[in-house]
Amino acid sequence: MSKIRHALNTRRADDFAQWYQEVISAADMAEESGVRGCMVIKPWGYGIWERIQRLLDARIKATGHDNCYFPIFIPLSNFEREAEHVEGFAKEMAVVTHHRLIADGEGGLVPDPEAKLEEPLVVRPTSETIIGDAMARWVQSWRDLPLKLNQWANVVRWEMRTRMFLRTSEFLWQEGHTAHENADDAKEHTLRMLEVYRAHAEDDLAMPVVAGEKPEHERFPGAVETWSIEAMMQDGKALQAGTSHYLGTNFAQAAGIRYQNREGAQELCHTTSWGVSTRLVGGVIMTHGDDDGLRVPPRIAPWQVVILPMLRDDDGDAALIEYCEGLRFALASQSALGEPVRVLLDDKPGKAAAKRWDWVRKGAPVIVEVGARDMEGGVVSLLRRDRLWGENGKPAFQSPARDEAARAIPAMLEEIQQALFAEARERREANVARGVETFDALKAFFASNGRYPGWVEVQWSKPTGAALDKVVADLKALKLTVRNVPIGAAGAEGACIFTGEPAVERVLIGKAY
Amino acid sequence: MSKIRHALNTRRADDFAQWYQEVISAADMAEESGVRGCMVIKPWGYGIWERIQRLLDARIKATGHDNCYFPIFIPLSNFEREAEHVEGFAKEMAVVTHHRLIADGEGGLVPDPEAKLEEPLVVRPTSETIIGDAMARWVQSWRDLPLKLNQWANVVRWEMRTRMFLRTSEFLWQEGHTAHENADDAKEHTLRMLEVYRAHAEDDLAMPVVAGEKPEHERFPGAVETWSIEAMMQDGKALQAGTSHYLGTNFAQAAGIRYQNREGAQELCHTTSWGVSTRLVGGVIMTHGDDDGLRVPPRIAPWQVVILPMLRDDDGDAALIEYCEGLRFALASQSALGEPVRVLLDDKPGKAAAKRWDWVRKGAPVIVEVGARDMEGGVVSLLRRDRLWGENGKPAFQSPARDEAARAIPAMLEEIQQALFAEARERREANVARGVETFDALKAFFASNGRYPGWVEVQWSKPTGAALDKVVADLKALKLTVRNVPIGAAGAEGACIFTGEPAVERVLIGKAY
């Protein structure tokens, strides 16, 4: 048995949901706000989101999109125009009905009946309808196309059961919206943005994903095609980490987005939309966290290296800090993963060991402790967060010379980024079963494969209508859902495991967040 | 008379308000959204805001603040705790009362009466009360202080009369919130952030400001002291461009933000808050715009240099674009104002002259046109947006060799940044009257000094109560307000121009947005 004394109280293997909450709290990332379904994102959690924003924003701009900003309020009538869309969101919309408060005569406040809005306003759950209005104004000719917009914003979907970062009534996201001349262009763009998400998830977040098309019954309300990236969390569940939708002419019809084509005729645009949210932070936690807290991939770590001088409140402290500053300056002038190294010298008061464990829980990729003895020897004590424990059950400190540490850390950060990705990908691959050929075998797989069973990739006949309803219901009874039809999966042959009819494609099935 | 054919229809001197709207439209910065009081910020307007965000965010982080994110919804009861605060905002609050829509039976939608919230939620007009709740949870001891937070967010204040960027029901801003051990620390921090705003306005936006304290009746609701930076627009009106508040213990009392002090006793924190908003973009327009559109200071220009190849849809275009690419690469590898030069090669279809005037209206600091003849001569045609017209009434093109342009443009950008600031400061200084010694003289100044009269700096006795009410009313009759008591203004001597009593300080008075 391991003698390791882990930095968290809960093991992933014991209670994953509890562990997840504990990481968020122990890493000081977020907390409940007291406002129903809304969280407070604290500096370390928000710092990770800021890194995600910066990296993804660069990818979105590099693919030719302009950022802009649309109103948070959407008139009710906008929603009424696209029936499926409103059907999908009406149950979870926050509605503004008044624009003033007055005293209630008992020391409290109430909405002023005199200030009731003529038309209630919805707090945006997503912005297709309001951005569609703008596109209808902005697009006249094929020369205005493609129109490629993006916004970073908060949205609200009134959720009954919330979980921090994964499902909150208010969340932060980016939503891209584009208009094109024809279906081919729009579909190509839908897949291009899916690829942007895949690259961001895998290269920036070190989170392996499966990109594929959602089955019909899992489409975005109003979409013709919905594509997703699905990531496997350490409990084997799927996290839908991003979606990209081809909307056909549905929203163009509703908003009147028409253009004069190259032959001079009026046509409807084909539009797309795609988004990722603060949910990604939850994905990072459940992909890379361990029993000691979070491990942040270096590319999205607010601080990649934290230097902790072991201060003793005596005359030696000044020299020790100067010694640490030497390392900080040497690192800050280096680059890793294409950017200057982000290094913090944390000389706040507090016991060195307590501070070390705080940074372990937060998941800083490299932690460097420096005591008086290190300084005398010209060395530092260095801990890689991704290889925390030595074989002796103690933290696996390395003791490079200070100058050697400054030279080695940039490459080490790149190595950690790769190692976290490789570890997650291997785990994912080990937990996708591809030999499941009957529905009974599927049931057996999920019944016998432990608490965290992973996914199966099976072949099906792509049923529709009542046949699809039955598949969905049968899976729901097992708490399973069809995640997507992976791009590049093996071809199908033989029978659908649900209908017995000839199979046409392979689908991923698993539990999901 | 000038023969110049300006790029806008409206002259500033003729109708400043109309001119302002025309710049926003002609520079493609924003437009009305169709949602009452809310605007759509278009790519060029949003790009300027993104630059403002990035530069100010760096200043806020450099002064030790962490970014985080708090809920957009605030329970009504939070507001009830600070009487002045709610008094100040209750009249303009958007209130969420329902969390679901249902069909109204006539093809429309209505808020579901079954989904009425027990306690209405306010869409944040500002976040003191909700961040105060968090501070109360996070602060235990003096060791937790100072606590320095900032968030970038949208806020809503239901405005009856709106004007794009200056006054909209929803706007984007940053709001900083800090907690301190005592009044001295908190007041010092209030002034530090005011100085951050001053530096940002003057150094980044090239917009000269007067920093000073707001008089009592202009304080933020619930504040003990409110400080502002005031900028003079080209119509002589003041724009309050940023505010910083010392809140005393008012909000700490309301939210229960207490800490154990160094002697072990419980004490209330002293808090501050401070914010700037998308209003700054309006300030940039009214500070730097001219009769040809916007002039964006290089530091906040999304593109600092725009290269326009004069394409002819023939075989020569490829060589011309390659020639332009040479300039683009040479510039992109240079720095100006401490960052890599942001240069766009705009080879979209369209007539060269029309594109030039679009970029003039948008205010790109340097526009470089390149035609076949330029290429043959190894030169480019360069236009400085801040010195658009030659003495002959034509655009003042320079014709440097291409390589010389690449070398000269970085310094030119720094020069333009300085020139715009110097021009605005000179105009401001020329329009502040300091010799006004009686209220009659003040009246005469505003009556006789043309349509855009500027400000007066007068001395007053800092009246309070009924005496202050009278001053405010007398000024209001002239559509004037007290802007602030400038830091570093000359001392007062002699009589107050309002009360005749001994003067104690000097105040700025003017019309304002």
Side-chain angles (χ1 to χ4, degrees), chain A residues 31 69 97 137-138 170, chain B residues 31 50 69 97 137-138 170:
Chain A
E31 67 184 23
Y69 189 77
T97 54
R137 294 192 296 270
W138 300 352
E170 181 193 17
Chain B
E31 67 184 23
E50 279 184 304
Y69 189 77
T97 53
R137 294 193 297 271
W138 300 351
E170 181 192 16

Side-chain angles (χ1 to χ4, degrees), chain A residues 114-419:
Chain A
E114 302 282 306
K116 193 171 175 183
L117 299 180
E118 280 186 34
E119 179 180 8
L121 295 172
V122 168
V123 181
R124 64 180 159 223
T126 180
S127 302
E128 277 76 9
T129 68
I130 189 120
I131 294 183
D133 278 0
M135 285 180 164
R137 294 192 296 270
W138 300 352
V139 172
Q140 263 101 47
S141 138
W142 62 271
R143 287 183 195 82
D144 301 321
L145 299 174
L147 178 60
K148 301 196 284 187
L149 306 173
N150 180 61
Q151 81 171 354
W152 292 91
N154 54 345
V155 287
V156 171
R157 299 177 188 176
W158 204 266
E159 299 282 357
M160 282 304 146
R161 297 183 56 183
T162 62
R163 200 189 299 226
M164 280 192 283
F165 289 113
L166 299 180
R167 195 176 292 277
T168 48
S169 289
E170 181 193 17
F171 56 92
L172 305 181
W173 79 346
Q174 123 326 280
E175 51 180 319
H177 297 267
T178 66
H180 305 262
E181 288 184 63
N182 54 51
D184 282 352
D185 288 359
K187 286 183 185 179
E188 186 185 340
H189 200 70
T190 305
L191 287 176
R192 183 177 298 125
M193 298 321 293
L194 188 74
E195 168 60 14
V196 163
Y197 288 160
R198 185 207 60 75
H200 173 60
E202 298 199 330
D203 298 347
D204 298 337
L205 279 52
M207 182 170 78
V209 294
V210 176
E213 188 179 359
K214 285 283 189 189
E216 176 190 330
H217 64 287
E218 297 276 9
R219 280 181 202 142
F220 175 77
V224 175
E225 293 174 4
T226 284
W227 299 73
S228 72
I229 52 170
E230 304 279 334
M232 185 184 284
M233 305 293 99
Q234 289 181 66
D235 61 353
K237 285 193 191 172
L239 184 78
Q240 179 178 300
T243 47
S244 185
H245 315 290
Y246 166 57
L247 304 171
T249 56
N250 293 344
F251 286 86
Q253 179 78 54
I257 314 172
R258 290 190 172 77
Y259 73 101
Q260 190 172 51
N261 70 15
R262 289 160 201 255
E263 286 74 45
Q266 288 288 310
E267 277 198 59
L268 285 172
C269 288
H270 291 249
T271 67
T272 81
S273 69
W274 26 277
V276 301
S277 73
T278 31
R279 170 168 255 225
L280 287 176
V281 179
V284 167
I285 296 170
M286 293 193 290
T287 300
H288 300 300
D290 66 14
D291 290 343
D292 299 295
L294 183 59
R295 299 182 300 172
V296 191
R299 207 182 274 277
I300 57 168
W303 299 117
Q304 298 169 314
V305 184
V306 174
I307 305 172
L308 297 171
M310 300 171 78
L311 302 174
R312 299 191 294 196
D313 293 322
D314 65 19
D315 291 350
D317 284 357
L320 191 61
I321 288 180
E322 198 182 318
Y323 182 79
C324 290
E325 286 282 16
L327 177 60
R328 180 164 78 92
F329 290 135
L331 279 171
S333 64
Q334 301 294 307
S335 288
L337 297 154
E339 291 179 277
V341 173
R342 295 183 293 280
V343 51
L344 173 72
L345 200 172
D346 177 2
D347 57 0
K348 278 193 214 140
K351 289 193 181 160
K355 287 171 66 177
R356 176 208 305 160
W357 290 110
D358 282 345
W359 283 110
V360 164
R361 290 185 199 96
K362 282 173 185 283
V366 173
I367 298 168
V368 180
E369 283 185 21
V370 186
R373 206 177 299 169
D374 293 308
M375 182 170 64
E376 278 162 29
V379 300
V380 298
S381 297
L382 185 156
L383 207 48
R384 263 178 74 157
R385 178 61 183 87
D386 65 323
R387 297 184 189 167
L388 188 59
W389 300 104
E391 299 197 353
N392 58 359
K394 296 199 170 143
F397 279 109
Q398 304 172 31
S399 299
R402 181 184 67 166
D403 297 348
E404 172 54 23
R407 274 192 301 273
I409 284 175
M412 190 178 290
L413 291 169
E414 311 210 350
E415 206 179 302
I416 294 172
Q417 181 80 24
Q418 307 254 343

Side-chain angles (χ1 to χ4, degrees), chain A residues 31 41 50 61 67-69 72 80 86 90 93 95 97-101 109 137-138 154 170, chain B residues 31 41 50 61 67-69 72 76 80 86 90 93 95 97-101 109 137-138 154 170:
Chain A
E31 67 184 23
I41 309 181
E50 280 184 304
K61 285 182 173 140
N67 281 343
C68 41
Y69 189 77
I72 187 172
E80 292 165 359
V86 70
M93 281 175 174
V95 192
T97 54
H98 294 76
H99 63 80
R100 189 162 61 222
L101 297 171
L109 293 164
R137 294 192 296 270
W138 300 352
N154 54 345
E170 181 193 17
Chain B
E31 67 184 23
I41 310 181
E50 279 184 304
K61 285 183 173 139
N67 281 343
C68 41
Y69 189 77
I72 187 172
L76 250 184
E80 293 165 358
V86 70
M93 280 176 176
V95 191
T97 53
H98 294 73
H99 63 80
R100 190 162 60 223
L101 297 172
L109 293 164
R137 294 193 297 271
W138 300 351
N154 53 344
E170 181 192 16

Side-chain angles (χ1 to χ4, degrees), chain B residues 2 6 17 23 50 88 92 164 203 232 272 287 347 350 355 385 423 432 441 461 463 486 493 504:
Chain B
S2 157
H6 284 293
V23 173
E50 279 184 304
E92 51 184 39
M164 280 193 284
D203 298 347
M232 185 184 285
T272 82
T287 300
D347 57 2
K355 287 171 66 177
R385 178 63 184 87
E423 181 185 324
V432 178
S461 58
E493 53 183 20
V504 300

